[in-house]
Amino acid sequence: CTANSGCSSRVAQAELYDPATGIWSFTGLMVTGRDVHTATLLSNGKVLVTGGYGDTAQLASAELYDPATGEWTSTRSMSTARVVHAAVLLPNGKVLVAGRYDVATAELYDPTTGTWTSTGSMTTVRHHIQDVAVLLGTGQVLVVGGTDSSGGNALASAELYQPSQGPTVSINAVPARVVRGGTTTVSWNATNVDFCTITRNGIPWQPTLPADASNVVSGFASDTINSQTVYIITCTNNAGASVTATQIVNVPPIFGEF
């Protein structure tokens, strides 16, 4: 075997272990025989297998095991062939894979679409990191050690991966029930966004609100209420993701009013 080519006779067999009986049993064969790959349990109960050595070369391919059927199916391939790399399930359900003996790149697998997208590269080329990438309680991923591109020098360094956060937004009115002609104070807060817009009963109410250096939009304004009023805030980030939130201010009917 070499760093760039595989050995012959990679097995595609898979087995299931039953803790209740202590017995192993065969299940469906993988699409591709491989070793030194990763296997990651997904939030949907399936298992994602990525990379490794095939019979003749390193693999970029990936496949899914469905325990409900005992069958393996191919999914989209990674952008880079990877062996003895890291794979970590993130809190958002995506899988981070990173590393290989000569690359620091990383990518994300989205089980809902079956697609891969590039993400930030590691600061250091790391090999043999299949057991040294850990999801922290903060949602970050800690990668420790591994070997350098030669494969012969152990690394003592460590680094953190920070998953990108999706946009969030809220809008509130105090009070949310106002007598006709009364006033309410509307406040809003959005994170991980680039700008927001606010409408009042379908008509723009505030000018476009740009985010600050921390990608936060927040503020408040008073408004006079004469009838039920609906405020909708829509915020967008530079990835094109958008979120909305709604606040309704009601006006109690006057006695005898129909």
Side-chain angles (χ1 to χ4, degrees):
C1 301
T2 68
N4 295 305
S5 64
C7 302
S8 60
S9 303
R10 304 289 182 185
V11 297
Q13 290 177 336
E15 303 178 49
L16 295 172
Y17 177 72
D18 187 341
T21 62
I23 295 174
W24 292 87
S25 58
F26 286 108
T27 186
L29 295 176
M30 291 192 292
V31 176
T32 302
R34 62 182 80 216
D35 68 2
V36 292
H37 50 277
T38 62
T40 307
L41 178 64
L42 304 179
S43 302
N44 60 14
K46 295 182 179 181
V47 177
L48 173 70
V49 166
T50 67
Y53 282 120
D55 287 343
T56 60
Q58 297 178 20
L59 301 172
S61 62
E63 49 190 290
L64 294 167
Y65 176 73
D66 187 342
T69 63
E71 296 180 349
W72 295 85
T73 55
S74 295
T75 187
R76 297 281 183 86
S77 293
M78 298 179 289
S79 63
T80 302
R82 300 180 187 273
V83 295
V84 285
H85 53 293
V88 179
L89 179 68
L90 302 178
N92 60 10
K94 296 182 179 181
V95 177
L96 170 72
V97 300
R100 196 181 74 177
Y101 70 94
D102 58 349
V103 297
T105 59
E107 47 194 303
L108 294 169
Y109 179 75
D110 187 342
T112 61
T113 62
T115 57
W116 294 90
T117 56
S118 296
T119 188
S121 295
M122 295 186 292
T123 59
T124 302
V125 173
R126 297 177 187 274
H127 195 37
H128 298 106
I129 57 172
Q130 66 273 30
D131 299 317
V132 294
V134 180
L135 178 67
L136 304 180
T138 60
Q140 297 172 302
V141 176
L142 173 66
V143 178
V144 180
T147 60
D148 65 8
S149 57
S150 72
N153 299 309
L155 300 172
S157 60
E159 53 189 288
L160 289 168
Y161 173 76
Q162 174 65 62
S164 61
Q165 303 295 316
T168 64
V169 65
S170 63
I171 187 169
N172 296 284
V174 179
R177 185 177 174 88
V178 182
V179 296
R180 184 168 297 163
T183 61
T184 188
T185 298
V186 181
S187 61
W188 54 87
N189 185 76
T191 61
N192 304 308
V193 299
D194 286 307
F195 65 89
C196 299
T197 58
I198 303 177
T199 61
R200 181 184 189 275
N201 292 335
I203 299 171
W205 182 53
Q206 295 290 317
T208 298
L209 305 167
D212 62 18
S214 299
N215 297 110
V216 172
V217 173
S218 62
F220 65 91
S222 296
D223 195 18
T224 301
I225 306 299
N226 291 300
S227 61
Q228 185 185 73
T229 303
V230 179
Y231 302 92
I232 299 177
I233 183 170
T234 302
C235 301
T236 305
N237 64 16
N238 58 14
S242 63
V243 288
T244 63
T246 302
Q247 172 68 58
I248 300 175
V249 177
N250 290 304
V251 174
I254 298 174
F255 180 75
E257 182 180 53
F258 295 96

